[in-house]
Amino acid sequence: MHLFKTIFPKNYHTLNNTSTGPLVSLLKSRSVIRFSGPDTIKFLQGLLTNDVKKFSELPSRTTSYVPTLNLPSVYAPPMYAALLTPQGRFLYDLFLYRKPLGDEKSGPGSDSGGDLELFADVDSSVLDELLHTFKRYRLRSKVEIDNVAEDFSCWQWFGGNLAEKSKGEEEPEAASSGPGVDHSAMSSLHGNDVGWQWFKDPRVDCLGLRGVFPSKETPPLVESDKETNELNYLSWRIENGVAEGSTEIPKGEAIPLEYNLEGLNAISFDKGCYVGQEFIARTHHRGVIRKRLLSLVFLGDSGKVDQKVGPGSEVINRASGKKIGYVMTALGCRGLGVLRLEEAFKGSGSLTIQGQEDIKVEAIRPKWWPATWFSEHQQHSAVA
């Protein structure tokens, strides 16, 4: 089944160069939920793959990054995490947020002197099921789980040379009052009553910035000519070898380490037990992951081919006919697939699609991958 229509909208851009500049997308594929109550941290800590206790620690005063603007704020950076089955298979991914502490206000809805609130953006296609699952785990825990998708929306800022800019975000606080700072923009950033702002994507730098904002407002510093269709964000993720959500990461089937969740900062190997932890720890300490999610390019005799390969297509070795994996996501001439690493980089033209042997498949190693994920003969593979 194709995840998106194959006829692209007019504002579908090509993002393979920096001249386009950073783009911003409203992510309609994500919905926002809220966890609140005195047991919020304890409840999520026992369920999710990452160390949610970090949200209960008072962060130091630092500078959060926004392009062209360094803004000081006391904040807890967002966190990427997953909920697994007891057998260690992927169910749902979540981006967890706690609003900047410097902007919290006393009174109803404030964390100050009351219960901590965590917001999460989750896959919209499984929203009702996800809420039911969390509530089933709640038992007697003092935690409320609310659907606030009508009140908040998720946005992503990505592309261009945004990743290079964001590497310098840890600037001294004094930078916020230095020459060239747009103070009206600073005011705009902190002007809403919940204090939300842009944060570095907690997975990898190349994905840009992410945030949740009140649904009735456009996020600060978003220019209308840079707002683009979400398909462009999907294209950017595909180019960088990153899957997202319970369709691209098959619910109930996917092994998290094969989808690179440890490299995307979704898994803590130092925290205590959580659902599915035993399988993840055993697989990790065994130290061998034979299959991983890769970025793919589909090629024909005359170059790249569009809209001919769909999710679920089998990738095979052209010479032996041996199956080495599947295409999980496809958009135009690019895709994501889980392939056996020992077969994926054997040489140009060695891979094709079962039943579509006129199409060549090129597997690409994302730049952000740790070198330790490759054996010696793969260290010299071409980089995206």
Side-chain angles (χ1 to χ4, degrees):
M1 179 183 295
H2 288 268
L3 299 178
F4 294 89
K5 294 180 180 178
T6 55
I7 299 175
F8 300 158
K10 292 181 180 179
N11 57 346
Y12 179 82
H13 297 276
T14 299
L15 299 175
N16 58 1
N17 60 69
T18 59
S19 62
T20 303
L23 300 172
V24 182
S25 291
L26 168 64
L27 304 187
K28 296 181 179 179
S29 65
R30 308 294 291 187
S31 295
V32 181
I33 65 175
R34 178 177 60 207
F35 300 94
S36 60
D39 291 342
T40 294
I41 295 295
K42 180 181 178 181
F43 172 72
L44 293 175
Q45 183 74 355
L47 294 178
L48 302 183
T49 56
N50 218 330
D51 189 0
V52 186
K53 279 187 176 180
K54 292 181 179 179
F55 282 111
S56 63
E57 301 170 359
L58 183 65
S60 60
R61 191 168 184 84
T62 186
T63 301
S64 60
Y65 175 78
V66 176
T68 74
L69 191 64
N70 287 311
L71 297 168
S73 180
V74 178
Y75 75 97
M79 178 181 295
Y80 188 48
L83 178 67
L84 311 180
T85 69
Q87 294 76 33
R89 298 306 194 264
F90 176 90
L91 277 178
Y92 317 112
D93 62 354
L94 305 89
F95 292 80
L96 296 163
Y97 307 82
R98 184 179 181 182
K99 61 190 177 186
L101 303 183
D103 291 329
E104 290 175 352
K105 302 172 183 178
S106 59
S110 169
D111 292 350
S112 179
D115 300 332
L116 183 145
E117 289 183 337
L118 292 180
F119 291 73
D121 78 68
V122 301
D123 187 339
S124 297
S125 69
V126 293
L127 175 60
D128 292 340
E129 176 189 316
L130 179 148
L131 288 169
H132 176 75
T133 300
F134 274 107
K135 290 177 180 179
R136 190 179 72 233
Y137 275 116
R138 180 170 53 183
L139 301 177
R140 296 183 179 180
S141 297
K142 296 178 181 179
V143 57
E144 297 297 324
I145 306 164
D146 301 307
N147 178 0
V148 293
E150 294 295 320
D151 302 316
F152 295 92
S153 299
C154 180
W155 292 72
Q156 190 86 16
W157 201 338
F158 61 97
N161 60 354
L162 185 62
E164 283 71 24
K165 289 183 179 181
S166 69
K167 290 178 181 178
E169 89 264 19
E170 297 298 335
E171 299 289 342
E173 182 178 333
S176 65
S177 58
V181 171
D182 184 344
H183 293 279
S184 64
M186 290 181 64
S187 176
S188 171
L189 183 70
H190 294 276
N192 64 63
D193 59 2
V194 292
W196 290 115
Q197 62 189 60
W198 291 103
F199 293 100
K200 279 180 60 177
D201 192 301
R203 293 169 293 181
V204 287
D205 287 346
C206 62
L207 293 179
L209 309 177
R210 196 177 183 100
V212 293
F213 300 91
S215 295
K216 295 181 180 180
E217 301 178 14
T218 300
L221 306 181
V222 171
E223 301 174 10
S224 59
D225 63 334
K226 295 300 183 182
E227 187 175 341
T228 188
N229 190 280
E230 185 177 350
L231 281 172
N232 288 297
Y233 170 57
L234 171 61
S235 176
W236 187 250
R237 283 195 293 102
I238 288 175
E239 289 188 33
N240 286 284
V242 178
E244 184 175 297
S246 299
T247 301
E248 296 178 29
I249 311 174
K251 179 170 61 70
E253 301 176 9
I255 296 174
L257 300 188
E258 291 184 352
Y259 282 76
N260 306 326
L261 291 193
E262 80 276 33
L264 296 172
N265 298 312
I267 300 174
S268 170
F269 294 103
D270 300 321
K271 64 173 287 186
C273 294
Y274 57 87
V275 176
Q277 183 261 349
E278 183 178 352
F279 174 80
I280 297 299
R282 185 170 64 249
T283 305
H284 174 67
H285 291 302
R286 193 166 58 225
V288 179
I289 308 297
R290 302 189 185 279
K291 296 186 293 182
R292 286 194 182 274
L293 186 80
L294 297 163
S295 181
L296 307 177
V297 178
F298 309 122
L299 303 167
D301 293 335
S302 58
K304 296 179 181 179
V305 295
D306 283 348
Q307 305 174 23
K308 290 187 177 181
V309 179
S313 300
E314 289 188 3
V315 180
I316 63 173
N317 181 290
R318 184 183 294 271
S320 67
K322 180 180 178 182
K323 183 183 74 175
I324 68 165
Y326 290 92
V327 176
M328 307 309 301
T329 305
L331 183 66
C333 64
R334 303 296 296 256
L336 296 171
V338 176
L339 307 183
R340 294 183 63 87
L341 293 178
E342 64 181 0
E343 299 282 345
F345 301 100
K346 280 194 170 180
S348 178
S350 65
L351 306 181
T352 187
I353 299 294
Q354 177 71 48
Q356 295 176 279
E357 282 75 13
D358 59 322
I359 297 177
K360 300 176 183 178
V361 178
E362 180 182 352
I364 300 176
R365 172 168 63 100
K367 292 180 181 179
W368 59 267
W369 272 30
T372 54
W373 286 4
F374 273 73
S375 59
E376 284 299 319
H377 73 278
Q378 292 166 326
Q379 292 288 349
H380 304 291
S381 300
V383 177

